[in-house]
Amino acid sequence: MLRYTLTRLLSLILSLAAASVVIFLAIEILPGDPAAMMLGVNAQEDTLAALREQLGLDGTPWQRYSSWIGGLLTGDFGISYTYRTPVAEMIGARLQVSLPLALYALGLSTLIAFPAGIWAASRRGKMADIGVMGVTQLGVAIPNFWFAMLMVLVFAINLRWFSAGGFPGWDAGFWAGMKALTLPAVALALPQASILARVMRSSLLDTLSEDYIRTARAKGLTRAQALWRHALRNALIPVLTIIGLQFSFLLAGGIIIENVFYLPGLGRLIFQAISARDLIVVESVVMLLVFAVVLVNFLVEIAYAIVDPRLRRA
């Protein structure tokens, strides 16, 4: 297990190093001068040159990359070109919204998908199975921003159970914060729950057709007993893969939902930074999101090895 973990850890480090180069080069080739964006089109050339030097934009690409990656390794994300505040503080403040939102949505998605997928698989071909597949097909097809606006109309404007948008901050209390995140979390969770339920059902049905399940049935186990005792554990590997991908998507992919509900999260931050050509913020946020994706994949691979010990020898 130790060798397997170290191998995956080395892969994580190499992936992050490659991603940092790609992100830096991709941002470098974007058109536009951050100094000109900050000072306006009528700025004098000597003023622009002084600002470029102050921002560290006058060095070679290698010098800028070394400075940026060295800062990331020491926790110094640099200073925002637009807001003139430390990027780490900005990201930390936005993570207080995006991370709980992603975990809330992932929790809802898993709570809905597991029972639905297992129920559909245990009743294959029956009305319950057809009903679950129909609802999940609808959940995948409906755009989450449209569903978010529908929930605002119903639960915020008509019923007045929730606010239509905004976030009061955790200083207002845990439940006030969770209440503000409920509608966005549901809007993010339902499409992911639909996908996860379909994967759960498909994986379980594949596992239930294996020889060892038939052997278990021949020994006298009912279909439900074979499912819970033998099939469910082996069906979890593709499900864990989807959960890992969904967490990364929910953390990074809430840009539209955060804008619909006017939430001050990472999605809105990166949207505003791209609009303002605030390169240091864009690079840092994207790198953070890549780190989250790679870390989650690493944890999922460790979970694979726990669920199926044969993978440790692969």
Side-chain angles (χ1 to χ4, degrees):
M1 186 66 186
L2 179 61
R3 182 179 178 184
Y4 178 85
T5 304
L6 290 175
T7 304
R8 294 299 179 274
L9 192 60
L10 178 62
S11 174
L12 179 149
I13 294 170
L14 292 176
S15 299
L16 288 177
S20 70
V21 175
V22 172
I23 291 168
F24 180 79
L25 292 177
I27 298 296
E28 282 293 308
I29 63 175
L30 286 178
D33 181 355
M37 291 281 291
M38 294 171 65
L39 296 177
V41 294
N42 297 321
Q44 299 294 323
E45 187 56 38
D46 55 344
T47 308
L48 287 171
L51 183 57
R52 289 192 192 103
E53 182 180 1
Q54 181 186 350
L55 298 175
L57 298 172
D58 58 339
T60 64
W62 169 246
Q63 289 173 327
R64 296 201 298 277
Y65 174 77
S66 302
S67 174
W68 173 59
I69 205 69
L72 289 182
L73 292 174
T74 58
D76 180 7
F77 287 49
I79 303 295
S80 165
Y81 301 158
T82 305
Y83 300 100
R84 305 304 297 157
T85 56
V87 176
E89 290 182 9
M90 297 173 66
I91 291 176
R94 302 304 181 102
L95 268 177
Q96 293 179 22
V97 178
S98 291
L99 186 58
L101 176 61
L103 292 173
Y104 194 178
L106 187 66
L108 289 175
S109 168
T110 305
L111 284 176
I112 296 169
F114 270 56
I118 295 171
W119 193 42
S122 64
R123 290 163 175 76
R124 183 179 187 181
K126 298 180 180 178
M127 285 304 297
D129 182 24
I130 296 171
V132 169
M133 288 300 98
V135 171
T136 54
Q137 182 64 52
L138 196 64
V140 173
I142 294 177
N144 61 359
F145 69 87
W146 182 86
F147 188 68
M149 290 188 287
L150 184 65
M151 287 200 300
V152 169
L153 286 174
V154 175
F155 295 105
I157 296 176
N158 290 333
L159 298 176
R160 299 179 184 277
W161 291 354
F162 298 93
S163 62
F167 184 71
W170 296 111
D171 293 339
F174 177 77
W175 293 114
M178 293 302 288
K179 186 177 180 181
L181 294 180
T182 295
L183 291 185
V186 173
L188 283 170
L190 285 184
Q192 306 307 316
S194 300
I195 296 170
L196 193 58
R198 296 176 74 87
V199 172
M200 187 82 220
R201 173 189 176 274
S202 176
S203 180
L204 263 178
L205 290 179
D206 288 344
T207 308
L208 286 171
S209 65
E210 295 286 344
D211 290 340
Y212 68 90
I213 297 295
R214 281 194 285 271
T215 303
R217 294 290 305 278
K219 289 181 177 178
L221 293 184
T222 64
R223 183 178 176 84
Q225 288 172 329
L227 186 153
W228 286 103
R229 293 184 188 179
H230 300 288
L232 186 58
R233 179 186 176 97
N234 292 321
L236 283 179
I237 289 181
V239 177
L240 288 174
T241 304
I242 298 300
I243 290 176
L245 294 173
Q246 285 188 344
F247 177 75
S248 310
F249 169 79
L250 291 170
L251 186 60
I255 296 176
I256 295 175
I257 295 300
E258 287 183 4
N259 277 282
V260 169
F261 289 97
Y262 206 71
L263 295 175
L266 278 179
R268 277 180 60 81
L269 175 63
I270 196 168
F271 179 77
Q272 293 164 344
I274 291 173
S275 302
R277 197 72 170 85
D278 202 338
L279 298 185
I280 191 71
V281 174
V282 177
E283 288 173 341
S284 300
V285 174
V286 174
M287 193 64 208
L288 177 71
L289 295 176
V290 169
F291 175 74
V293 171
V294 175
L295 179 62
V296 169
N297 286 338
F298 170 74
L299 295 176
V300 168
E301 288 183 340
I302 297 299
Y304 286 168
I306 294 173
V307 172
D308 187 353
R310 293 172 300 176
L311 293 175
R312 301 173 197 172
R313 298 187 292 272

